[in-house]
Amino acid sequence: MGATAKKRTNRRKKASLIISHLVLIIIALTMLTPFIWMVLASFKSLEEVEQLRPLPSIWHPENYAQVFQQVAFARYYFNSVFVAIWVTVLTCFTSSMAAFAFSRLKWKHRDTIFKLYLGTMMIPGVVTMIPNYTLMVKLHMLDSFTGLILPAAFTAFGVFLLRQFMMSIPPALDEAATIDGASFWQIFVEIILPLSRAGIVTLAIFTFLGTYGSFYWPLILVKSQHLRTLPIGMLYFDSAYGRQTNLIMAASVMNIVPLIAIFVAGQKFLVKGIQLGAVKG
Amino acid sequence: MNTKQFCAWVCCGLIAITLVAWRIQPKPVEDGKVQLIWSTDDNPARREQTSLFNKLYPRYSLKIDPSNSGMEKVIVQSIAGVGPDIYDSYNSQINSYVKAGIAWDITDELIKMGVDINKDMWSCVRPFVTYNGRVYGFATNAGSCAFWINKDIFDQQHVPYPKGPWKWNEFLTVAKRMTIRDKNGRVKVYGLIGAWDNWQTFVLQHGGKMYNSDGTRCTLDSPESIAGIQFIHDLVYKYHVSPTPVDENAMATQGGWGSGTISLFGGGKAAMGMGGRWWLCTLRNYKGLRLGAVECPYGPLHIFWGYGKATLLNKTSPRRYEALQFIKYVTSKDYNELNNHQADALAPMIRYSYTDKYLHDPAYPKEDFNAVWRDAMKFAVAMPSSPFIEGGVEERIFYKQLDLVKTNQKSAAKAMQTAARLINAEIRNNVSKDPVLGARYTALMKRHRQ
Amino acid sequence: MNPNYSQNADTTSTTGVTAILSRIMRVKARKTQLLSALGFLTPNFIGFLIFTAGPVLFSLVIAFSNWNLQRTVTFQWVGFDNFVHLFHDQQFWVYMVNTGYFLIGIPVSIAGSLALAILLNQNLKGMTIYRTLFYLPSFTAGVALMILWKNLYNPEFGPINAVIEEVSRVLQLGIHGPQWLISTRNLLGIDVEQVRLVIQQWGLGARDAIIIMGIWTAIGGSNMLLYIAALTNLPEELVEAAQLDGAGKWQVFKNVTWPQLAPTTFFIVVMSFIGGLQGGFEQARVMTNGGPAGTTTTISYYIYTKAFEQFQIGYASAVSWVLFAIIFAITLVNWKLGNKEVSY
């Protein structure tokens, strides 16, 4: 009897396992279908995009080349990556230093000030966007790389994320270094930074992604075509050339491929970063 | 690798990528040339127009900037010091440009050039370049609406091509025969498309106007204006000869140069298209499309809406005297002939549309309909505008209401009453806040009372 | 990591003399730490002052002016005029309702994230692959995906309606796909111009299309990851104890899992509301231009059109501060309610 019960529970477990997998596969497919449609559409002729048939009858890889001919797509790529790299480096630099001050140094009202700092994350972006725009107008930074990079390079989020990481580093380490006569700068550079590498990578990925896809700020700031980033280029490509779904889908595919690459490379850090960033907040 | 090395690598990388960015920065101007920026639309015809300018005036390098052609953008960018030297202005936008202090008064310069806007330029575009009696620019094209016809569809239905002048009830008999359904009852070909885009013609023909003569009051709520809008609505929902916006939208993509209505017509989805000569820029790409044109039907009044594009010079530009060359260019024979040849509506100077070259362009021997587009100009009337409201605000209010009529969610009467009420409220609001505007408004209102 | 330092840490702490010395040094150090901290804070803080703190104050100040970048109106301080005008601005209220309508998607997407997290938290084979696939939409979210969805939703040529039509044809249901992004209909039947419900507006339209896309994007995103983390940290004894008591799966979830997840849920709800209330800009700009008839215009897009299309900086600032106040109030309410239910 015991054996049959065991068998039954085993069977039940197996059944529930299969059901779980089935459900997961169905959901995964729903998530993927739009992507699959996008990729397939990018290889179709325009007439075929509008038909229900999933596979293209003739594959048109030249759609991709045509995107580059019609718009300065390579230029948009470069601009996006260029701006994103600068913002990422600056953000990591300023955030890690501030996080160090908020986590490893002891001073009066440190945590109160930190909370205030955090509170600014709740302010809607549009509140600061308007004055920042007028500031850019006044500083004649409208329509420039500097205008794209500078305002994006200082975030409370970065400080917050890195502080979470640095708090978890045992205090004994820098105390010991202090006794050895190391300056705070040395402690920062030689102990804390290497130990919070995972945090910095996470922040770097987040910042890069955020800047790569950022839309609002470039939209209002950029005027010249040669300064357009990918999202802005995509927007104008979508609205300016009439009906060419297949080419737009090809552009979309090229837009998200780097993201997927980053995701695959940095998945480990990301998952941890998201969880650390929130759970302790 | 330690931290310092890593940082060094990052710095090197940054410097390298910045150098690349620096290198691929487009060169501003060729040596010794004066760079002029023209903020205009995305029409492919602009490219030819600029290259002809650059050829004729080798001292200059004219560039177009299509992505910043919104009025608000032009104004703010000019104030921020990154504005264009030359920019397009539509309808009542000139009011805002002058008020913002970026439209340059070139009345005297034009006289020096020997150009008289009252004699040389199509009259329906005159309001677009003048403000308070002063001239701020010149038209770069002008046009009026008429009908394109798809000859093949007419031949298939064995319907003779319509001939002008004709009335809307004559039109309806033709349009009903030209609205073709498949066996499931779904419309395959519509009788007419493009009516909504030319709502002004309908309002004007019924005796309606957007504003009273001095622009102090929006008169969209007058019975005449409402009747005009109602008639377009009837074309769709009563006579079923035009597509509902749902059908239309589904067939075309929004926005963009030459998409939408024109591509529907080009694709053979309609027998007649209410539009302008400028449709030809796109329609020429449809090989095998046999085109004809006919005057637009007339209603209670035999007039059509006339429109055009004005090009103004930027007062804040340090190169505004150089930019005058552009005005000279658009009044020249070269530009006007190019414009007519490109079919970018009609050339701004009247005289170049009364040539044999215009009527029979050797490059397009099959185009025998050019007289229709020119002769429509005789009946062309501009839609009155108001200096007391921003064009953008007005458009937002009006088109929202028109959208509601289009989608059959609101009656023409109610929608136009709302539009007029909101626009008038905006006018009152503007004149109460701006003392200069207010003074002008009160003076005009006084005249009304007398 | 530098191993030398950790060794030093061990040796020094054992010797008494250095321990005392270090205590003295630490006291001394604390005095100088404020200055050093300032040094470390400076780069971030300057940026923060210029691009966040300054602008926040500045925008509050100009919310009381009629400032217009176009200079067609002379600059004036107008007191509370902007705020008064805003309360009579019917558009503002309509767009507020739109913004509120978009929040409908939040509970659905949070519930979905939780369900996915529970499904994934069974030590199944291929868990990482599933997680990756679920995470993909939120990771790649942006203009490209919005353009993709715009095409999916095309009522005539889009695959969504093509499938609906096909299914309807085969099963002879006689239904047609919704007009999606060009329809003003919605599931509540909210009227177009006024804040009221009418039956003619009932159906699926642009707003629902955007909500569906939003759920698709967010369901497997960071919320799901947070739930997975919370589920893995769940004390197993609690679940086992409940199971021993004979509780079924649903009861275990209701009595053990859900209360334990409360802090995570609370955090997610707060963040989603903050995000949702400021959201809708990209969708409106990329997919609908705020239309049809303004039905997808959210407050955030309204501010954009006021500020960056009409350049009414003063008025737009006033609207943005009202938005801020609403976000603040809702967060506060959430906090109050959350703290009552959540026991840390």
Side-chain angles (χ1 to χ4, degrees), chain C residues 103-129:
Chain C
L103 299 180
I104 293 176
I106 291 179
V108 182
S109 111
I110 293 178
S113 300
L114 178 57
L116 289 186
I118 291 173
L119 273 172
L120 284 178
N121 193 41
Q122 306 182 75
N123 264 330
L124 293 177
K125 254 187 214 161
M127 189 267 201
T128 338
I129 298 176

Side-chain angles (χ1 to χ4, degrees), chain C residues 5 20 60 89 121 148 158 161 207 209 223 236 272 279 299 317 327 331 338:
Chain C
Y5 284 113
I20 296 165
L60 183 61
D89 182 355
N121 193 41
L148 165 65
N161 272 11
R207 281 176 280 205
N223 293 349
E236 244 165 76
S272 305
I299 290 297
S317 297
I327 289 175
T331 312

Side-chain angles (χ1 to χ4, degrees), chain A residues 199-211:
Chain A
I200 292 172
V201 172
T202 312
L203 176 64
I205 295 178
F206 277 137
T207 314
F208 188 90
L209 287 182
T211 322

Side-chain angles (χ1 to χ4, degrees), chain A residues 223-225 228 236 240-241, chain B residues 37-43 46-47 63-70 73 88:
Chain A
K223 172 180 174 305
S224 311
Q225 293 191 43
R228 281 182 190 165
Y236 286 113
Y241 291 84
Chain B
I37 302 284
W38 179 18
S39 169
T40 181
D41 58 16
D42 218 1
N43 189 334
R46 295 304 158 249
R47 259 155 256 161
K63 268 198 178 153
I64 49 170
D65 180 10
S67 52
N68 295 287
S69 49
K73 270 191 168 180
D88 289 351

Side-chain angles (χ1 to χ4, degrees), chain B residues 42-200:
Chain B
D42 218 1
N43 189 334
R46 295 304 158 249
R47 259 155 256 161
E48 272 182 273
Q49 290 166 5
T50 45
S51 56
L52 179 65
F53 176 86
N54 288 333
K55 211 175 83 192
L56 293 174
Y57 301 84
R59 270 198 55 230
Y60 301 89
S61 159
L62 178 68
K63 268 198 178 153
I64 49 170
D65 180 10
S67 52
N68 295 287
S69 49
M71 176 182 78
E72 288 87 356
K73 270 191 168 180
V74 168
I75 294 180
V76 169
Q77 283 165 354
S78 300
I79 291 169
V82 290
D85 307 295
I86 302 156
Y87 53 91
D88 289 351
S89 163
Y90 294 90
N91 306 324
S92 54
Q93 288 180 346
I94 184 166
N95 303 329
S96 308
Y97 284 125
V98 174
K99 272 192 290 172
I102 67 161
W104 186 34
D105 182 346
I106 55 166
T107 318
D108 303 330
E109 312 293 334
L110 273 178
I111 293 170
K112 271 185 230 159
M113 274 181 219
V115 179
D116 180 358
I117 63 157
N118 295 315
K119 257 186 13 226
D120 296 328
M121 199 175 76
W122 295 106
S123 63
C124 62
V125 265
R126 211 179 298 144
F128 303 170
V129 295
T130 49
Y131 182 87
N132 255 354
R134 305 294 293 177
V135 188
Y136 290 86
F138 203 81
T140 31
N141 65 22
S144 175
C145 65
F147 279 16
W148 286 109
I149 57 176
N150 185 326
K151 286 183 175 172
D152 283 329
I153 302 180
F154 274 87
D155 291 350
Q156 277 162 29
Q157 295 297 105
H158 307 290
V159 176
Y161 310 140
K163 278 199 192 72
W166 53 329
K167 288 186 150 187
W168 281 102
N169 52 16
E170 295 168 58
F171 157 81
L172 280 172
T173 27
V174 177
K176 275 180 188 155
R177 290 184 64 189
M178 296 311 299
T179 303
I180 310 166
R181 290 166 192 276
D182 62 13
K183 52 182 188 294
N184 298 326
R186 281 179 80 165
V187 177
K188 225 165 51 177
V189 175
Y190 283 96
L192 176 75
I193 51 169
W196 291 107
D197 302 334
N198 292 286
W199 60 270
Q200 293 93 335

Side-chain angles (χ1 to χ4, degrees), chain A residues 106 117 238 243 267 274, chain C residues 33 44 132 135 150 157 225:
Chain A
K106 296 181 186 69
Y117 220 59
D238 182 42
R243 189 174 186 75
Q267 209 193 76
I274 289 174
Chain C
Q33 277 186 350
N44 192 284
T132 310
Y135 196 31
K150 193 170 128 190
F157 303 119
L225 296 183

